[in-house]
């Protein structure tokens, strides 16, 4: 009985999460002008408009470039920060771990205001450049990447670095050839999480972006306030594609991880 209840509860949770996405995906293949409206037939017009519209193409390309660049910077900073913290003494390690948790639980709107005030008002950075926007996305993503890498460091034998030095490796060689390869799964997971956070962010982007630039999140919000039905329905197609890409990435990562785990068990 308890097992049946758990299965039913899990099914209800999954339905609550995925049914709205599936409904949106179905409507993206129709000629309906609004979700819940009448459907007279299925069509690929929304997907054609998505790639045919130059404004949408530029918005998507700019968002992806921003997400990848900021995620790469956040991943580098978080990786070396996590390694430094891992080998630090107890007091600084505790202080850094505590400080890293604050941006994670902090509201995005507070981070957006803070970046805006610090860079634009105090340091007089030009808001029409991408510096405040990039800094905001790095600040948003880096703590999450740090948390993705930290468990891999805890699983690693902390004497590997000293052993590499004893065998004649320089500190740089020990770091890049011994320590970092052990952290690759956590680094990749953190990078993908940083990309997702950048793509999804609205508040920080709103307060720090140049006036002529839009990411997917800000563009979607502005588009829903307008009356351009063609743009709105094309965004259904964009949402469906993003969902499918995420599923493919998650499946591939799980398959690769399972294969590596199987090979490790065979060697053992």
């Amino acid at each position: 009985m308890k097992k049946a209840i758990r299965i039913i509860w899990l099914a209800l949770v999954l339905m609550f999460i995925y049914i709205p996405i599936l409904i949106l995906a179905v409507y993206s293949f129709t000629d309906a002008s609004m979700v819940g409206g009448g459907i007279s037939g299925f069509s690929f017009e929304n997907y054609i408009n998505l790639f045919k519209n130059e404004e949408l193409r530029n918005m998507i390309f700019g968002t992806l470039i921003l997400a990848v660049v900021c995620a790469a910077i956040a991943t580098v900073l978080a990786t070396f920060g996590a390694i430094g913290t891992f080998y630090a003494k107890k007091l600084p390690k505790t202080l850094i771990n505590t400080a890293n948790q604050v941006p994670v639980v902090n509201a995005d709107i507070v981070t957006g205001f803070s970046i805006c005030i610090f860079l634009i008002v105090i340091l007089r950075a030009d808001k029409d450049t991408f510096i405040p926007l990039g800094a905001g996305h790095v600040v948003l993503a880096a703590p999450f990447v740090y948390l993705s890498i930290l468990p891999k460091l805890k699983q690693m034998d902390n004497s590997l670095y000293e052993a590499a030095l004893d065998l004649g490796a320089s500190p740089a060689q020990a770091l890049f050839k011994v320590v970092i390869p052990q952290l690759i799964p956590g680094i990749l997971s953190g990078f993908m999480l940083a990309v997702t956070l950048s793509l999804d962010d609205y508040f920080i982007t709103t307060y720090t972006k140049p006036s002529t630039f839009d990411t997917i999140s800000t563009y979607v919000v502005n588009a829903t306030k307008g009356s351009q039905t063609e743009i709105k329905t094309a965004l259904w197609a964009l949402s469906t594609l993003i969902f499918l890409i995420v599923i493919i990435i998650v499946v591939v990562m799980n398959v690769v991880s399972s294969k590596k785990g199987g090979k490790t068990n065979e060697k053992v």
Side-chain angles (χ1 to χ4, degrees), residues 51-263:
F51 294 102
K52 186 173 65 175
N53 189 301
E54 184 178 358
E55 182 181 343
L56 287 173
R57 289 202 311 269
N58 292 338
M59 179 271 295
I60 295 169
F61 182 74
T63 303
L64 292 175
I65 293 296
L66 174 69
V68 171
V69 171
C70 292
I73 296 172
T75 301
V76 171
L77 294 176
T79 299
F80 287 106
I83 293 172
T85 304
F86 180 71
Y87 287 104
K89 294 182 179 179
K90 185 176 181 180
L91 179 60
K93 179 185 293 188
T94 302
L95 291 175
I96 294 172
N97 285 333
T98 303
N100 185 77
Q101 293 173 10
V102 174
V104 173
V105 299
N106 195 22
D108 284 358
I109 191 170
V110 176
T111 303
F113 272 131
S114 302
I115 294 293
C116 185
I117 292 171
F118 180 69
L119 290 177
I120 298 174
V121 178
I122 298 178
L123 298 184
R124 303 293 182 180
D126 188 356
K127 192 176 185 296
D128 287 330
T129 67
F130 287 91
I131 294 175
L133 177 59
H137 280 224
V138 170
V139 169
L140 169 69
F144 290 91
V145 182
Y146 177 96
L147 292 176
S148 297
I149 295 171
L150 208 58
K152 293 298 178 183
L153 280 165
K154 291 179 179 179
Q155 293 172 9
M156 184 184 71
D157 186 352
N158 59 5
S159 63
L160 285 175
Y161 180 77
E162 288 80 4
L165 295 179
D166 291 340
L167 292 172
S170 65
Q173 288 175 327
L175 176 63
F176 287 101
K177 293 185 177 182
V178 177
V179 176
I180 289 182
Q182 302 288 323
L183 309 178
I184 293 298
I187 292 172
L188 291 177
S189 299
F191 176 79
M192 293 305 303
L193 179 59
V195 170
T196 303
L197 289 169
S198 179
L199 292 174
D200 184 61
D201 178 72
Y202 173 75
F203 289 107
I204 293 175
T205 303
T206 299
Y207 293 114
T208 57
K209 74 180 183 70
S211 57
T212 57
F213 180 78
D214 268 312
T215 61
I216 292 174
S217 58
T218 59
Y219 190 91
V220 168
V221 172
N222 294 331
T224 55
K225 297 176 182 177
S227 58
Q228 292 179 287
T229 302
E230 182 180 299
I231 296 295
K232 291 180 182 179
T233 54
L235 292 174
W236 299 350
L238 176 61
S239 301
T240 303
L241 289 176
I242 292 174
F243 180 65
L244 290 175
I245 290 170
V246 169
I247 288 178
I248 292 170
I249 291 173
V250 170
V251 170
V252 169
M253 290 180 66
N254 286 334
V255 169
V256 171
S257 178
S258 298
K259 288 183 177 180
K260 287 184 178 179
K263 289 180 180 179

Side-chain angles (χ1 to χ4, degrees), residues 8-22:
I8 293 171
W9 179 254
L10 178 61
L12 289 173
V13 171
L14 292 176
M15 288 171 61
F16 182 79
I17 293 172
Y18 288 106
I19 283 180
I21 300 174
L22 294 176

